[in-house]
Amino acid sequence: MLVVMKSHATAEQIAAVCAQIERLGLRPHPLPGAQRTAIGITGNQGEIDHSSLSELSGVTDVIRVSKPYKLVSRYVKEDDTIIHFPGTDITVGGRDLMIIAGPCSVETREQAYRTADAVASAGAQFFRGGAYKPRTSPYAFQGLGEEALLILSEIRERTGMRIVTEAIDQDALDLVADYADVIQIGARNMQNYSLLRAAGRKRKPVLLKRGMSATLEELLMAAEYIMSEGNYEVILCERGIRTFADHTRNTLDLSVVPAAQQLSHLPIVVDPSHGTGKRDKVLSMARAAVACGADGLIVEVHDQPDRALSDGAQSLYPEQFAQLMREARQIAAIVGRSLPGNARGQVAAQEEPVNA
Ligand code: PEP
Ligand code: MN
């Protein structure tokens, strides 16, 4: 169910509708848009008697939403969701592309600092690095845990980049939400519904990666879990899916970008690193991702990929990442987007010619 407010509805009228929804034992989700505010309703198992809502002042319509996903849908919120990062001018989902770069895992302070300095100089605004790693083998490197989170916060201080890191379970989630700017939920956890709900109770944006065999609808339903708990700042991420093709680690499904943007107001970024698994394919797919309208990229970069403890084969050398940034900046301009850069990297990234 969706309550559509009149375009000039006041804050008091919106609050009165929310209060009435709560009196009905349901949960209101006010979603302001450029034209009007819509209030999504969740918590009902069946039909709601909506006469007590349609009569309230400021209400123009009460609509039944038949789609399984509601809050993620353009039907409920027509305008793109734009996420702001407090204390910065960084936005995600608007004109600027979100560029996240860094190693698969934080391995040592030195490795993380060297890589962070390199990607900051190339213009990245977000630094990634796993503190908790979901590894196929229980004997593989599992991440440094809280020690890595401390290193990541030092990097935020040092470079000004915002931090994106994965929470693999509820214990990690509490720590990640304290230290990071964006909580990553990995492909393997896309349908871990209790973790999604818990992330929905945090007040930090969530980067939600598509499960390796998930349909678009399943991805949107996973985002719906997060939003249904009141966290409306969800960034979708295409990171490749399992297919019969074996020339790459996964098959990067770029067609999901326009498909998701048609159905949902949420931003969607692309991970060409996990999407290909091969360093020499990352640049091509990053170019294509920007060209097809993705809202950003998440790219693995390591200062010594051959020594990486995880995902070295798909990690770019810093100079390859700098090249990717120069090209992405040019392609972004063609599709009406921009790469904002950062205080440290913007000038350098703009000055160097593409084929330098
Ligand atoms: C990662 O970002 O390092 C990662 C583990 O990604 P995914 O969940 O997409 O496999
Ligand atoms: Mn990785």
Side-chain angles (χ1 to χ4, degrees):
M1 195 70 83
L2 174 69
V3 180
V4 184
M5 302 300 294
K6 290 183 178 149
S7 56
H8 299 299
T10 64
E12 288 73 29
Q13 288 171 332
I14 294 169
V17 173
C18 291
Q20 177 60 18
I21 293 169
E22 279 167 2
R23 272 196 291 278
L24 294 170
L26 305 169
R27 182 164 187 167
H29 301 269
L31 300 165
Q35 306 301 326
R36 53 161 176 76
T37 290
I39 306 172
I41 304 177
T42 58
N44 56 307
Q45 301 299 335
E47 288 286 309
I48 305 171
D49 170 21
H50 57 75
S51 55
S52 66
L53 295 170
S54 47
E55 287 158 7
L56 293 177
S57 59
V59 172
T60 179
D61 210 354
V62 181
I63 306 169
R64 219 176 79 82
V65 181
S66 54
K67 292 260 184 275
Y69 41 86
K70 302 181 193 314
L71 304 175
V72 303
S73 147
R74 283 233 185 249
Y75 190 61
V76 168
K77 181 172 182 283
E78 219 177 319
D79 311 303
D80 293 345
T81 284
I82 300 181
I83 300 172
H84 297 264
F85 286 80
T88 74
D89 54 8
I90 301 174
T91 58
V92 174
R95 188 184 155 87
D96 289 346
L97 297 188
M98 177 190 209
I99 306 291
I100 311 165
C104 181
S105 309
V106 174
E107 298 163 6
T108 64
R109 176 174 279 105
E110 294 67 34
Q111 166 252 8
Y113 274 28
R114 283 193 303 265
T115 308
D117 289 346
V119 299
S121 299
Q125 287 184 310
F126 291 86
F127 186 68
R128 63 149 293 148
Y132 302 90
K133 295 307 302 177
R135 303 304 300 280
T136 305
S137 164
Y139 310 117
F141 177 64
Q142 305 284 310
L144 298 181
E146 192 168 2
E147 191 188 335
L149 296 177
L150 279 163
I151 296 171
L152 290 169
S153 5
E154 291 166 15
I155 286 173
R156 175 175 41 223
E157 287 299 306
R158 185 183 165 93
T159 65
M161 288 186 290
R162 303 289 114 177
I163 301 301
V164 182
T165 193
E166 178 169 354
I168 52 168
D169 55 28
Q170 305 228 10
D171 291 341
L173 176 68
D174 290 336
L175 283 165
V176 164
D178 284 345
Y179 284 98
D181 301 288
V182 178
I183 303 163
Q184 178 174 326
I185 303 279
R188 291 157 191 79
N189 270 317
M190 191 207 83
Q191 286 181 314
N192 181 339
Y193 298 121
S194 56
L195 186 62
L196 296 174
R197 279 197 196 281
R201 291 191 288 271
K202 300 293 182 194
R203 289 296 168 266
K204 290 271 172 81
V206 177
L207 178 81
L208 175 64
K209 298 189 93 176
R210 180 181 181 184
M212 22 197 130
S213 317
T215 63
L216 172 56
E217 182 163 307
E218 287 162 343
L219 173 63
L220 294 177
M221 293 307 288
E224 185 82 22
Y225 263 90
I226 299 169
M227 293 185 75
S228 72
E229 292 292 334
N231 186 347
Y232 306 121
E233 300 194 321
V234 181
I235 302 158
L236 307 172
C237 177
E238 162 60 27
R239 48 76 73 204
I241 48 172
R242 283 264 166 100
T243 68
F244 53 83
D246 57 4
H247 59 283
T248 48
R249 177 178 177 185
N250 293 294
T251 297
L252 191 64
D253 174 20
L254 289 180
S255 69
V256 82
V257 171
Q261 287 169 336
Q262 190 174 8
L263 296 177
S264 176
H265 52 84
L266 295 174
I268 178 163
V269 304
V270 168
D271 176 346
S273 306
H274 295 85
T276 61
K278 297 186 177 169
R279 183 180 308 125
D280 65 350
K281 309 282 183 296
V282 171
L283 176 61
S284 315
M285 298 318 286
R287 289 179 188 135
V290 175
C292 80
D295 296 294
L297 299 170
I298 173 165
V299 182
E300 286 187 341
V301 182
H302 196 292
D303 70 313
Q304 293 174 300
D306 45 337
R307 299 208 182 163
L309 297 181
S310 59
D311 286 348
Q314 66 194 33
S315 300
L316 296 186
Y317 288 92
E319 55 276 19
Q320 292 177 312
F321 177 67
Q323 175 79 14
L324 181 153
M325 289 294 280
R326 289 191 290 270
E327 298 198 17
R329 191 178 294 281
Q330 297 202 335
I331 297 168
I334 295 171
V335 294
R337 307 296 288 269
S338 49
L339 256 70
N342 58 26
R344 196 193 278 219
Q346 198 163 25
V347 177
Q350 272 171 349
E351 279 176 357
E352 286 182 60
V354 164
N355 294 319

mmCIF file of all heavy atoms in Angstrom, residues 103-105 128 133 249 274 300 310-311 314, ligand 2:
data_model
loop_
_atom_site.group_PDB
_atom_site.id
_atom_site.type_symbol
_atom_site.label_atom_id
_atom_site.label_comp_id
_atom_site.label_asym_id
_atom_site.label_seq_id
_atom_site.Cartn_x
_atom_site.Cartn_y
_atom_site.Cartn_z
ATOM 1 N N PRO A 103 42.302 -2.741 -2.206
ATOM 2 C CA PRO A 103 42.583 -4.172 -2.285
ATOM 3 C C PRO A 103 41.382 -5.021 -1.884
ATOM 4 O O PRO A 103 40.473 -4.536 -1.217
ATOM 5 C CB PRO A 103 43.712 -4.348 -1.260
ATOM 6 C CG PRO A 103 43.501 -3.258 -0.272
ATOM 7 C CD PRO A 103 42.936 -2.096 -1.045
ATOM 8 N N CYS A 104 41.428 -6.286 -2.297
ATOM 9 C CA CYS A 104 40.390 -7.208 -1.848
ATOM 10 C C CYS A 104 40.399 -7.232 -0.321
ATOM 11 O O CYS A 104 39.374 -7.040 0.311
ATOM 12 C CB CYS A 104 40.661 -8.605 -2.428
ATOM 13 S SG CYS A 104 39.418 -9.801 -1.965
ATOM 14 N N SER A 105 41.585 -7.447 0.255
ATOM 15 C CA SER A 105 41.712 -7.531 1.718
ATOM 16 C C SER A 105 42.736 -6.521 2.226
ATOM 17 O O SER A 105 43.734 -6.263 1.554
ATOM 18 C CB SER A 105 42.241 -8.899 2.144
ATOM 19 O OG SER A 105 41.499 -9.933 1.572
ATOM 20 N N ARG A 128 38.134 0.721 -0.620
ATOM 21 C CA ARG A 128 37.616 -0.571 -0.201
ATOM 22 C C ARG A 128 38.757 -1.408 0.368
ATOM 23 O O ARG A 128 39.931 -1.196 0.029
ATOM 24 C CB ARG A 128 36.958 -1.316 -1.365
ATOM 25 C CG ARG A 128 37.883 -1.672 -2.526
ATOM 26 C CD ARG A 128 37.455 -2.957 -3.231
ATOM 27 N NE ARG A 128 37.618 -4.113 -2.366
ATOM 28 C CZ ARG A 128 36.866 -5.180 -2.392
ATOM 29 N NH1 ARG A 128 35.897 -5.287 -3.266
ATOM 30 N NH2 ARG A 128 37.106 -6.183 -1.554
ATOM 31 N N LYS A 133 36.694 -11.614 5.489
ATOM 32 C CA LYS A 133 36.632 -12.150 4.134
ATOM 33 C C LYS A 133 35.820 -13.441 4.060
ATOM 34 O O LYS A 133 36.104 -14.379 4.809
ATOM 35 C CB LYS A 133 38.051 -12.460 3.614
ATOM 36 C CG LYS A 133 38.944 -11.248 3.440
ATOM 37 C CD LYS A 133 38.328 -10.147 2.578
ATOM 38 C CE LYS A 133 37.943 -10.549 1.177
ATOM 39 N NZ LYS A 133 37.297 -9.434 0.438
ATOM 40 N N ARG A 249 35.881 -15.484 -14.556
ATOM 41 C CA ARG A 249 35.471 -16.075 -13.268
ATOM 42 C C ARG A 249 33.951 -16.055 -13.117
ATOM 43 O O ARG A 249 33.338 -16.985 -12.621
ATOM 44 C CB ARG A 249 36.136 -15.253 -12.148
ATOM 45 C CG ARG A 249 35.773 -15.659 -10.749
ATOM 46 C CD ARG A 249 36.545 -14.801 -9.734
ATOM 47 N NE ARG A 249 36.191 -15.110 -8.368
ATOM 48 C CZ ARG A 249 36.634 -14.447 -7.308
ATOM 49 N NH1 ARG A 249 37.486 -13.440 -7.462
ATOM 50 N NH2 ARG A 249 36.268 -14.775 -6.091
ATOM 51 N N HIS A 274 35.482 -8.683 -9.664
ATOM 52 C CA HIS A 274 34.872 -9.998 -9.441
ATOM 53 C C HIS A 274 34.086 -10.426 -10.678
ATOM 54 O O HIS A 274 33.907 -11.610 -10.925
ATOM 55 C CB HIS A 274 33.989 -9.990 -8.194
ATOM 56 C CG HIS A 274 34.780 -9.762 -6.942
ATOM 57 N ND1 HIS A 274 35.107 -8.511 -6.495
ATOM 58 C CD2 HIS A 274 35.357 -10.633 -6.077
ATOM 59 C CE1 HIS A 274 35.844 -8.614 -5.411
ATOM 60 N NE2 HIS A 274 36.017 -9.888 -5.121
ATOM 61 N N GLU A 300 39.143 -3.626 -7.643
ATOM 62 C CA GLU A 300 40.230 -4.078 -6.768
ATOM 63 C C GLU A 300 41.577 -3.625 -7.314
ATOM 64 O O GLU A 300 41.893 -3.830 -8.503
ATOM 65 C CB GLU A 300 40.170 -5.600 -6.596
ATOM 66 C CG GLU A 300 39.001 -5.972 -5.680
ATOM 67 C CD GLU A 300 38.913 -7.435 -5.289
ATOM 68 O OE1 GLU A 300 39.516 -8.289 -5.957
ATOM 69 O OE2 GLU A 300 38.208 -7.728 -4.311
ATOM 70 N N SER A 310 44.444 -12.350 -1.313
ATOM 71 C CA SER A 310 43.185 -12.754 -1.947
ATOM 72 C C SER A 310 42.998 -11.949 -3.233
ATOM 73 O O SER A 310 43.357 -10.779 -3.303
ATOM 74 C CB SER A 310 41.986 -12.552 -1.009
ATOM 75 O OG SER A 310 41.863 -11.206 -0.616
ATOM 76 N N ASP A 311 42.469 -12.606 -4.242
ATOM 77 C CA ASP A 311 42.070 -11.974 -5.507
ATOM 78 C C ASP A 311 43.175 -11.179 -6.221
ATOM 79 O O ASP A 311 42.891 -10.186 -6.912
ATOM 80 C CB ASP A 311 40.831 -11.088 -5.286
ATOM 81 C CG ASP A 311 39.566 -11.935 -5.094
ATOM 82 O OD1 ASP A 311 39.618 -13.161 -5.349
ATOM 83 O OD2 ASP A 311 38.536 -11.380 -4.701
ATOM 84 N N GLN A 314 42.890 -10.630 -10.178
ATOM 85 C CA GLN A 314 41.967 -9.639 -10.736
ATOM 86 C C GLN A 314 42.273 -8.226 -10.245
ATOM 87 O O GLN A 314 41.555 -7.281 -10.592
ATOM 88 C CB GLN A 314 40.520 -10.007 -10.374
ATOM 89 C CG GLN A 314 40.216 -9.916 -8.882
ATOM 90 C CD GLN A 314 38.909 -10.601 -8.504
ATOM 91 O OE1 GLN A 314 38.520 -11.591 -9.105
ATOM 92 N NE2 GLN A 314 38.211 -10.057 -7.527
HETATM 93 MN MN MN B 2 37.771 -9.786 -3.687
#
